[in-house]
Amino acid sequence: MLPGCLILGLLWRIGKVQTSCAVELTEVRTTWDSAVVWFTAACPSPDFTAFMDPGSRPTAVRCDQDGNNGYTFICNMTELQPGTLYELRVISGNDEERSLGSIRTVPVSPAQLEIQLDPENMASVHEGSSGLRVLWSLSAGHVDWYNVTLEDVHSGMVRSNRVMGSAAPQSCFTSLVPGTLYNISVLAISGNKTAAPVHTIAVTAPSAVDGLQVASSSLDSLSVLWRPGPGRVENFKVLVTDQDGFLLRNITLTNTTTYTKLDGLQPGTPYRVTVVTNAAGLQSSASIQAYTVPAAVSDLIINNDGSSESLRASWTAPKGGVDFFTVTLWASGLTPEQRILAPNVTQLVFEGLTPGRRYQLSVNSSAGGLSSESRTEGRTVPDQVSTLSMSIDSSKLQLSWSPPRGDWEYYSVLLTDGPAVLFNRTVSKKSRELLVSIQSLGLVPGRLYSAEFAVHSGSLSNTAHCSSRLAPRPVQQLVLRHADETSLSVQWRQPVGRWDSFTVLLTDEDLATPDTQRILSGGSRECTFRGLASGRRYTVTVKTSSGTLSNSDSLTAWTTPAPVSGLQVFNLDSTDSLQAQWELASGDQDSYQVLLVRDSSVIKNKSVAGNISSISFQNLRPGAQYKVVVTTIRAGHTSRQTVAEGRTVPAAVTDVRVSNNGRTDFLTVSWNQAAGEVDSYLVTLSDRDRTLHSLAVSKFNPGCIFNSLVSGRLYNISITSCSGRYRNHTFIQERTQPSKVQNPTATHGARDDSLKVYWRHAAGDLDFYQVFIKHNNTFLQNKTVQKTQSECVFTGLVPGRLYTVLVNTWSGSYEASASTHGRTFPAAVQSLSLAGRGTEDLRVTWLAAPGDVDHYEVQLLFSDMKVFPPLTLGSGVGECVLSSLTPGRLYKILVSTFSGPNQRTQFIEGRTVPSKVKNIHVNGDSSHLKVSWTPGPGDVDGYSVFLYRESRELAVQAVLKHQNEVTFDWLQPGQLYGVMVQSSSGELLNNNTSTGRTGESKKEVFSTH
């Protein structure tokens, strides 16, 4: 770089040149990249050249005369290297060389200067010292050394380092004072010349404070204490941030301050306190986190909420932050119960406590290891006494109880008669009962007395209640006023004394029936019960009630038995018995008397138990009319009679005979006479639910005939014996003979292993078809076919075989049969193949067709036209040779299997070998050969002509089948060539060969075969 001003130096060395022309250096001026030299010569010379030699690659420049004086010269030299020492020589025009000494250019300053904190001395900052590293860029040209100076601006102290120009351009200063501003300069020196110094400033970081401590002196303040670190300090700043990093305080303090107090903070809140050391524009800091003391909870209350076993603690959350609450409950002599709660919880219930016990409660607010406490106390409600009871008799009042659970101090008892207090006493904790004489109390029979029994613990109590009274007197002169089948009525005189009401209780002798109770006012004198059970004994009790005490009187009475209802007489479809059935009489009964009457005469007299509601009479006459009379009996009392009539069912006919006599439209019916009384017979013929014929038949003529019926149909026949409104049916079923199917047919359907059988449905009704297939009277398969279908298929049959098929129509146990014949389609021969071929013959072979075969027939086709009449061969033949064929022709060979009138054909294609060409002629000249031939007989697709020489194929030409010559060109004279003409038909070939030689020069040669 060019400095701001040129530094001019003067260096010369005066010497005497012991030549004929002396040269003397008079002045030298240098910059960092140029030099101007003045010298005088003792003799004038028109041409001087100056050389600047730094030791390598010298620089030459022409010197000019300075002014009009011919003895003074000036040389301007540029593009020199900064800080470099040059040897100066001049040469005159007569090649005389003179040395003028040496000169040096001015060095240049470093272009870049950088200050870094020395990593090796970073740790020493915390020990009171620090280090700096000075780095610069190497100056251009030559520098002998660099002088690095560091000056403490505050104290004026100066430190210097000298760095060789060839060393690394850096210098380190250690043991510097933290927080100090330094001036740094780098001076480049070369010889006795120096460059302009390069300046910069650097500041060492101040050291952080030591022993930083923070303590919470109150709920809303923090005390901060520290020691200044080594080095210089301008001031301190105390920064306070919350846990979200938000700055709350920024306090600037003098460099002598080591303590401050932070007020106005939130209790129980974490804060980060940072003390920043400022010096020379830099900072160092030390931080610590601290909590303010959390505030104690307020409004701490412990409440039993009327409970003997639990206490509910509640409080108001304090201001500021809380990490958690520690709630402790304890009582004297017990292990404390402690709970840790989240800061958002403001109440807690303690359960399973002892009734009546005094408990202490503390709630600690905790935050950051600090805490504040609030305390209170409370007591559970004492428990009530248990099994408290009071009894009063003619001499004393007795209270008894069991002690309560938990803690208590004493009991108190208050006895009242309505609003009046009879006595109020305190009872010892150890007492279990209290006896009071009632002679002086003046108790009235039937009056209610109440006692309040309180358990006391501290200021709390729990009261149990009980009561008792004297028993009232019973009613007088209780009598039965009225009784019938469903009601009873009683009356009485009122008792002496006091009572609340009368309770009339009707008790049924049937213990399973609940009692009926009527509660009457105290002025009532009678009571009636209705809706009672007939014939039942009841106990009526009239109870005088006063509170829970009572006294009573009772009597017994009977209701009248009730008659039966719903009496009905059923024959239950019986011809010799009747059953009487009735609804049991309401209420109670011992038995029923049942009479059976016919024509005003009692036939039978029976007695049945009271829980029986039916009776049967056996050995009666079929179809006769009877009367039944039923009477209810209870404890010697009888009810009104109930009467009903009934008739036995007439007897059914016997030995019914029905026959179709092998006919499809006829049924005849006959039977024997029915026993007993019969008015007539009714014969009905029905088809399912539809009645076709209904005939009334005299009881003296047991038989009838039905005509014009449907074949195979099942008919329902009913012969009914009639007597009065009752009938007795005898049912029988019979069907007419079914019809045969029509036109049964069995066809192979071009299948060699199955037959399809179909037919026209049989007339009339049928259940199903059964189809049999047989061969040589041997049944092979059978199939059952639904009546809605008219076909079936038999599979797995032998190809080409003749079968007999039977189609049977079934209706019930009757059948009708029809038959037909069918033959399966013959199978084709197997493995049909072309076993041999020639130019005029083809040989085919095959394996015998499976199944039954009558014979084979072989047919030869060309273009779907018959070539020869078909050849018939026996079923045992498996090959055939076809001769006199055309060479090269493609034929289709059909081999047919015959079984009966059916045939199955299999075919294969075969081609005869094409014939060879004839009369091959080969002729030509010295470079050509012409090949010609006569086509062979038969068909050919084309020809291929091959040219060989010494068994090596030279050329091949394909020729259409209509051509018979080809020419090969560009051959060598006088050479023997082989020729092969190949006939092709399909994939078959046939060859014929010949030879020929080209002529010498222009002589023509040929060869024929």
Side-chain angles (χ1 to χ4, degrees), residues 569-575 577-579 647-650 726:
V569 181
F570 302 97
N571 54 37
L572 300 179
D573 296 331
S574 174
T575 60
S577 65
L578 289 175
Q579 183 185 59
R647 182 189 295 269
T648 55
V649 175
Y726 292 102

Side-chain angles (χ1 to χ4, degrees), residues 610-638:
N611 60 347
I612 302 301
S613 61
S614 65
I615 188 173
S616 297
F617 298 98
Q618 307 294 330
N619 300 320
L620 305 182
R621 183 173 177 79
Q625 183 78 25
Y626 293 91
K627 183 182 295 184
V628 178
V629 181
V630 181
T631 303
T632 307
I633 299 175
R634 172 63 171 166
H637 302 284
T638 59

